[in-house]
Amino acid sequence: MENITGIIDIYLFYSENNGYSVFKLEDGTSAVGNLPKLNEGDRVELTGEWVKHPRYGKQFKIESANISHPTTETGIIKYLSSGLIHGIGPVTAKRIVSHFGESTMDIFDKNIDLLLEIEGIGEKKLDAIKEGWESQKGVKNVMLFLQSNGISSTYSMKIYKAYGDAAPELIEKNPYRLISDIWGIGFKIADEIGKSLGFTGDDPLRIKAGIIHTLQQANKDGHVFLPKEELIRETSFMLQTDVGYSDITFDELEENEEIFIKNNNVYLNEYYKAEREIENSINRLLQINSTPPPKLEKVISTFKEKYSSEQINAIKTSFAEKMLIITGGPGTGKTTTLKGIIQLFQTFDKKIMLAAPTGRAAKRMAEVIGIEAKTIHRLLEFNPQDGSFNYNEDNPLETDLLIIDEVSMIDTLLMYSLIIAISLNTTLIFVGDVDQLPSVGAGNVLKDLISCGKIPKIELSTIFRQAKNSDIITNAHRINKGEMPALNFIQETDFVFLDESTNGKIPEKILHLCKEELPQKYGFNPVEDIQILSPIYKGEVGVTVLNKLFQNELNKSAKVFAQGEKIFKANDKVMQLRNNYEKNIFNGDIGFVVGSNIEDKVLFVSFEGKMVEYKFEDLDELTLAYAVTVHKSQGSEFPCIILPLTTSHYMMLQRNLLYTAITRATKLLILIGTKRALAMGVNNNKVKNRFTSLFKI
């Protein structure tokens, strides 16, 4: 092994996945190795050996590295210009070094307030520089430790932000804590780190983390719990070690209130508590008797000309019960029924609130009903500082009527937060279509609430004349009954099927539709009005391939962020991938990239006119959204939906997925693929059962 020192002059290559780096030092030396992303201008002390590459010649292969501050004015300018510190770009760096010379680094270390002497640096910018300087002082040695244990630079920065200088100590003690502490790090990455740190396959910390991880994966698949035998089997397979003997481990997890075991079913503690509290809150509401106001029948009699008998029944029941579920497919008059209920409550001067699980669903609800509707998080006033809701069991919402739309999307944890905040004085109405896909999160709440038989339910089944004129609606009902949709229309239709059996041709056909045919014929904006849905992420007609194609072909704007495979351009259509309560942006929200600030490493995205800032290291929360999965489209409607259907999707071709996708379109639906794939989806009604216990134990 040899030691060399030098200043990084230029990066030739850097991989975000594994940190593999190729850079040149100022003396011309080529150095290669797995490192965190350093900065041009860094003075480095490298340990390694000289090797001869067959193509690139003599290189220094790095085994380890230490970093020290540069000492020359040129090196300092390059170092400060690298983007290392928010608030300092090339121009500011030159001004600072011109003023302080080779003592610049001492100024940063010992008297940083003197930077106020530099033109363009005020108190606000100085605060940003101070924060950036403090965060980077210890970050590199920590990141070197993380990188040497197989952690990419993107995650290294997140870990450093969470743990600070204590990161090595905390991770060496328990690398599996990363799974719950750092979004994006799953069991696989944490386990690789654990192995590199010497954790054995049957280490109790590893087994506990494996059990929790298996339960969390089950939650992501929609399950509230797993039977213990299945949990042991899945965890043992994943860990490649037998956890069946680990009753002590299960006991410890239960004592620490991480899991709860009931009837030999294993829950993460919060899910067991959530289901039981949902039951308790609903039972309390159902015990309250509603007293109909005088003249109720007289008022309702005036509604009979405007509403069907089904709708009148729902309107009348809303005043007779404290809880009501209204279900029905598209075109059955759910919105009209809600308007009648609201009109009735307004007649008696009642306070009314409306809400839905997502921003898009709430916006649509407000547009069609004409009253403000909020997301459930906004309704309950989520507090990002401590992760709580301001409205809860101790501070319930005070309203006479609360209507919640798109209830099929609500998972167990969100329903828990909502239901405990309902006052006993409130009439609660749930509206949803139980035949759509269930929630992305754990649970099958709407189905379980209907199945329990305790809550009054009105099912609207009559398709109204105007809706019958829509082939989207009539075909959606056919599909829901297991019948093939009508495809051969004599006249103009809003339901189009394009036969294409070659998967590789489908993306180009969709592109032609979006760029030329649909804008010309219908005036659709290719990005804002048309939404491409796909059952899957991978494959020739999966979301990933379609997004890359459409970004390249539909958006000729300049790149504002590029890192490996991840590229964002100005005006890109993007989607949020997780609930971010601090930003008040939620999983599935769609926005548009406005621009970026390279110096501050920030991307700007507009969500329905609300501007949100993303630091570059947080951009794993965003993905392109020219195409999205059907699951991600729940609760949204678009003027035009294009859905590729091929037999390569067979694992995902289910009736409720097809039904959900079709009912997202308001003006035009285009299916492109094969009739065989369409038939597979229509005939497959084997919905995967979810392990839930709401009103079942």
Side-chain angles (χ1 to χ4, degrees), residues 488-610:
N488 301 313
F489 298 103
I490 299 172
Q491 57 195 35
E492 189 81 5
T493 178
D494 58 4
F495 189 105
V496 176
F497 179 83
L498 302 177
D499 204 330
E500 178 53 67
S501 58
T502 305
N503 289 2
K505 293 181 180 179
I506 291 177
E508 289 297 332
K509 285 196 170 184
I510 295 175
L511 185 62
H512 173 74
L513 286 168
C514 292
K515 285 182 74 173
E516 299 177 31
E517 198 167 325
L518 297 178
Q520 290 172 9
K521 186 172 183 179
Y522 297 94
F524 288 149
N525 180 299
V527 176
E528 294 181 9
D529 296 331
I530 301 171
Q531 183 60 60
I532 304 158
L533 302 183
S534 178
I536 57 174
Y537 280 102
K538 297 179 180 179
E540 291 179 292
V541 290
V543 165
T544 303
V545 167
L546 292 171
N547 269 323
K548 284 185 180 179
L549 174 66
F550 278 73
Q551 184 188 50
N552 290 335
E553 295 296 327
L554 293 181
N555 189 357
K556 300 301 181 182
S557 303
K559 295 177 184 178
V560 292
F561 174 84
Q563 196 172 74
E565 292 289 309
K566 194 147 202 152
I567 295 171
F568 289 123
K569 299 179 180 180
N571 304 313
D572 264 340
K573 187 178 187 179
V574 294
M575 175 178 279
Q576 175 75 10
L577 291 175
R578 64 181 286 246
N579 291 339
N580 188 318
Y581 300 111
E582 291 185 7
K583 290 181 169 64
N584 199 28
I585 297 296
F586 302 100
N587 187 358
D589 285 353
I590 290 178
F592 290 87
V593 174
V594 175
S596 66
N597 183 322
I598 301 300
E599 190 169 281
D600 290 338
K601 295 187 176 181
V602 172
L603 191 78
F604 302 102
V605 181
S606 174
F607 290 91
E608 304 283 351
K610 176 186 175 183

Side-chain angles (χ1 to χ4, degrees), residues 651-670:
M651 290 290 289
M652 296 297 293
L653 289 177
Q654 295 176 339
R655 188 183 300 170
N656 61 351
L657 181 138
L658 189 57
Y659 175 74
T660 300
I662 288 170
T663 53
R664 300 307 93 205
T666 59
K667 294 181 180 178
L668 180 65
L669 173 82
I670 299 176

Side-chain angles (χ1 to χ4, degrees), residues 134-174:
E134 286 301 318
S135 69
Q136 67 82 40
K137 281 203 296 188
V139 69
K140 285 185 180 170
N141 286 331
V142 171
M143 288 180 74
L144 283 168
F145 163 82
L146 298 172
Q147 194 80 50
S148 67
N149 285 287
I151 303 174
S152 73
S153 61
T154 299
Y155 289 132
S156 294
M157 183 58 72
K158 288 189 173 187
I159 292 167
Y160 184 78
K161 282 186 174 182
Y163 299 152
D165 294 341
E169 179 185 354
L170 293 172
I171 293 170
E172 284 178 331
K173 190 178 292 185
N174 181 9

